[in-house]
Amino acid sequence: LALAGCLGSRAAHLLQRRPLTTAAFAQAVQSRTSQAVTLLGQQDAISIDEELMATPGFSVDQLMELAGLSVASALVDAYPKSKRVLIVAGPGNNGGDGLVAARHLYHFGYSPTVVYPKRSEKQLFVNLVTQCEQLRIPVLTDLPKLKDFDVALDAVFGFSFKGTPREPFAKILKALQDSSLPVMSVDIPSGWDVEKGDTTGSGLQPDTLISLTAPKKAAAFFRGRHFLGGRFVPPGIVEKYNLQLPEYPGVSQIVELEGWAPER
């Protein structure tokens, strides 16, 4: 939170843990920036995805491709010199976004390595793994030595996540959290409640967040650089859900949201 950035580190940490309401957060952000942005609850996020993939409409692989491209673009923007990227892919669509991002990062001149402990047997995910392997991107089951990487991409759990992380992801997320490796999370920091944030205090605390379609309510409790990707939402959905989204610059697939990063 930019609001927290005005305070000392200890006070900022406490503010991050407070049950700040989304409305209060939005008011604080709006006092500091001209941007207006909707924060989605879990049900609206699910409903928008379902409507996007209604027949006729987008296919899941189309949306995953667009999302993964946005993720890769945000990582390049945030970490232009951090070429060795560790991507932790979960078992669902968030993991698919990570696999797509790995492919794009390779073509952007980065050196991605994927950790994919629980591979899906669905053909879409089999195809994504094959595409990575064709580029000689390592796709591993176990976490490698973190010292061999410059940045990590958390593509483990998305907006449908509930509860607490289970193995093998709990151990992987703890290792990331305990390391000094910068972390970018895809859509939701893994281990967070999609609306209430890190309610258990054990979720990942990333340095950077790339929200997709629109930020989720949990983003109200995030402090760091915050990007938005998802330049594909049709006007009908924008109007139906009364979405307020910032303009994307030029031909970019991402836009950086103001008001989240701590002041320096």
Side-chain angles (χ1 to χ4, degrees), residues 1 13 33 37 69 71 74 96 101 134 149 167 230 252:
L1 287 166
H13 176 77
T33 174
V37 61
L69 176 58
V71 170
Q134 288 173 339
F149 299 91
E167 298 300 348
S252 179

Side-chain angles (χ1 to χ4, degrees), residues 22 25-26 29-30 35-46 48 159 186-189 193-195 209-222 226-230 233 241-246 248 255-258 260:
T22 301
F25 171 80
V29 170
Q30 288 307 308
Q35 282 181 314
V37 61
T38 299
L39 302 182
L40 291 176
Q42 186 173 44
Q43 189 52 57
D44 278 349
I46 292 171
I48 289 172
F159 59 70
V186 176
D187 213 20
I188 293 289
D193 181 281
V194 68
E195 297 188 1
L209 175 66
I210 167 70
S211 292
L212 298 171
T213 306
K216 313 309 179 286
K217 287 184 176 180
F221 307 99
F222 168 72
H226 188 184
F227 294 86
L228 176 65
V233 184
Y241 291 90
N242 194 28
L243 299 181
Q244 291 182 294
L245 302 173
Y248 287 81
V255 57
E256 185 165 4
L257 300 178
E258 302 169 2
W260 264 266

Side-chain angles (χ1 to χ4, degrees), residues 143-191:
L143 191 68
K145 294 180 180 179
L146 297 182
K147 66 179 181 64
D148 294 333
F149 299 91
D150 302 314
V151 63
L153 181 66
D154 159 35
V156 180
F157 301 122
F159 59 70
S160 60
F161 174 80
K162 292 182 179 180
T164 56
R166 292 181 291 184
E167 298 300 348
F169 296 107
K171 184 181 296 184
I172 292 173
L173 294 175
K174 187 177 188 307
L176 289 177
Q177 186 61 35
D178 291 345
S179 76
S180 60
L181 198 64
V183 176
M184 170 181 277
S185 287
V186 176
D187 213 20
I188 293 289
S190 287

Side-chain angles (χ1 to χ4, degrees), residues 41-102:
Q42 186 173 44
Q43 189 52 57
D44 278 349
I46 292 171
S47 297
I48 289 172
D49 249 26
E50 289 175 347
E51 290 198 37
L52 285 169
M53 291 185 288
T55 303
F58 288 92
S59 60
V60 64
D61 51 330
Q62 279 182 298
L63 290 178
M64 202 170 283
E65 187 67 28
L66 291 166
L69 176 58
S70 296
V71 170
S73 299
L75 191 140
V76 169
D77 190 296
Y79 304 101
K81 297 181 180 180
S82 301
K83 299 297 185 179
R84 301 175 301 170
V85 184
L86 177 65
I87 299 168
V88 184
N93 289 352
N94 228 43
D97 296 343
L99 291 167
V100 172

Side-chain angles (χ1 to χ4, degrees), residues 222-240:
F222 168 72
R223 288 190 300 114
R225 293 190 70 181
H226 188 184
F227 294 86
L228 176 65
R231 200 172 184 175
F232 50 76
V233 184
I237 287 181
V238 172
E239 294 162 3
K240 179 175 179 178

